[in-house]
């Protein structure tokens, strides 16, 4: 089931890459909806489940919450390091362009997508409702992943063929990650900690990447309504699953 659902992430990543080649004026609505879905999954389903599964405390703070903060900070650190590397090649980015910078950033996206797949598989080990909710969040933000993977690879001077190869690698990564969880079962405590960590990284992507991008050029009420609708939809999914 986890692998089958991960195929949705595969398709959505390809849709994101296709959109990067043919940017439409509706991209901001999709990103707004994706941000709402991700926010809803983290706040309404992922974090409560992580707190329940990983009940141990470290210096008075639940371990799942500590890893939630760690996931957020690590995602921020990775994003800053990539930004610093791109800035260091600033003169070459726009004139001579350095293909290796784009490939490094795209490879980081592929690794991130593989961990998304592991999160889907881990969530299905908790329960089907949890698995579906996490899969919805992953599928939603994989549109942006596909868009960014193709854009990052091509904007730094890589050939279209190489950009497409990185796009397909990013699309296949969640399926491979989900399939890997068929080989092992994660104990409840570590599973809760991992879900907390993944929730922190997911929240960073929603708050610092997806939603600002959605409102960058289109600060419209329709985008905000899509975000609210996404969070509300996850509330509905969680309620039905319970």
């Amino acid at each position: 089931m986890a692998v089958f659902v991960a195929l949705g992430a595969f398709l959505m990543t390809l849709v994101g890459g296709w959109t990067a080649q043919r940017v439409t004026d509706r991209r901001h609505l999709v990103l707004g909806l994706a941000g709402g879905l991700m926010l809803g999954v983290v706040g309404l389903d992922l974090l409560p489940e992580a707190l329940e599964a990983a009940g141990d405390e470290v210096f008075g703070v639940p371990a799942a919450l500590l890893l939630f903060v760690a996931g957020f900070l690590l995602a921020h650190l990775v994003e800053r390091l990539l930004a610093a590397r791109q800035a260091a090649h600033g003169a070459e980015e726009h004139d001579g362009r350095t293909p290796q910078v784009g490939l490094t950033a795209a490879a980081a996206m592929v690794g991130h997508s593989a961990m998304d797949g592991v999160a889907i598989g881990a969530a299905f080990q908790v329960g089907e409702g949890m698995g579906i909710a996490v899969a919805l969040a992953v599928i939603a933000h994989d549109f942006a992943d596909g868009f960014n993977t193709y854009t990052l690879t091509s904007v730094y001077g890589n050939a279209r063929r190489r950009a497409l190869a990185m796009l397909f690698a990013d699309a296949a990564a969640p399926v491979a990650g989900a399939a890997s969880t068929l080989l092992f079962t994660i104990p409840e405590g570590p599973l809760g900690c991992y879900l907390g960590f993944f929730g922190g990284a997911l929240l960073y992507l929603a708050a610092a990447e997806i939603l600002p991008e959605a409102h960058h050029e289109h600060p419209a009420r329709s985008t905000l309504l899509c975000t609210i609708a996404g969070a509300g939809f996850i509330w509905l999914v969680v309620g039905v699953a319970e």
Side-chain angles (χ1 to χ4, degrees):
M1 183 64 176
V3 176
F4 177 76
V5 170
L7 289 173
F10 174 86
L11 295 175
M12 187 58 76
T13 302
L14 294 181
V15 170
W18 179 84
T19 304
Q21 301 177 66
R22 299 170 175 81
V23 179
T24 68
D25 199 44
R26 299 296 177 185
R27 174 174 172 261
H28 62 290
L29 298 179
V30 177
L31 292 177
L33 179 64
L37 288 170
M38 293 161 69
L39 175 62
V41 165
V42 172
L44 305 178
D45 199 18
L46 235 174
L47 195 53
E49 192 66 47
L51 286 169
E52 184 177 340
D56 295 339
E57 292 189 352
V58 180
F59 290 106
V61 178
L65 281 183
L66 286 175
L67 285 163
F68 173 80
V69 173
F72 188 98
L73 292 176
L74 181 62
H76 177 56
L77 175 63
V78 170
E79 191 268 340
R80 288 292 87 201
L81 288 175
L82 285 175
R85 179 166 184 179
Q86 292 167 10
H89 293 81
E92 299 173 76
E93 285 177 8
H94 303 291
D95 299 322
R97 297 184 295 182
T98 305
Q100 290 78 8
V101 176
L103 288 176
T104 300
M109 297 293 293
V110 173
H112 160 72
S113 294
M115 296 309 296
D116 283 351
V118 173
I120 292 175
F124 270 101
Q125 290 184 14
V126 174
E128 187 170 312
M130 178 70 166
I132 291 174
V134 171
L136 281 173
V138 170
I139 290 170
H141 93 264
D142 272 354
F143 171 86
D145 278 0
F147 188 97
N148 291 333
T149 298
Y150 183 88
T151 301
L152 285 169
T153 308
S154 58
V155 77
Y156 287 104
N158 290 283
R160 183 173 180 272
R161 174 177 52 82
R162 187 171 290 180
L164 287 174
M166 295 304 297
L167 174 64
F168 275 96
D170 189 47
V175 180
S180 72
T181 62
L182 300 177
L183 305 176
F184 58 88
T185 300
I186 307 175
E188 185 178 25
L191 178 60
C193 289
Y194 175 75
L195 292 176
F197 181 84
F198 178 73
L202 199 63
L203 182 62
Y204 179 83
L205 290 172
E209 299 289 335
I210 305 296
L211 290 176
E213 181 66 21
H215 290 276
H216 179 58
E217 294 182 355
H218 296 272
R221 281 181 293 181
S222 56
T223 306
L224 178 60
L225 289 175
C226 284
T227 303
I228 295 172
F233 177 72
I234 293 299
W235 186 14
L236 179 63
V237 169
V238 170
V240 170
E242 293 294 329

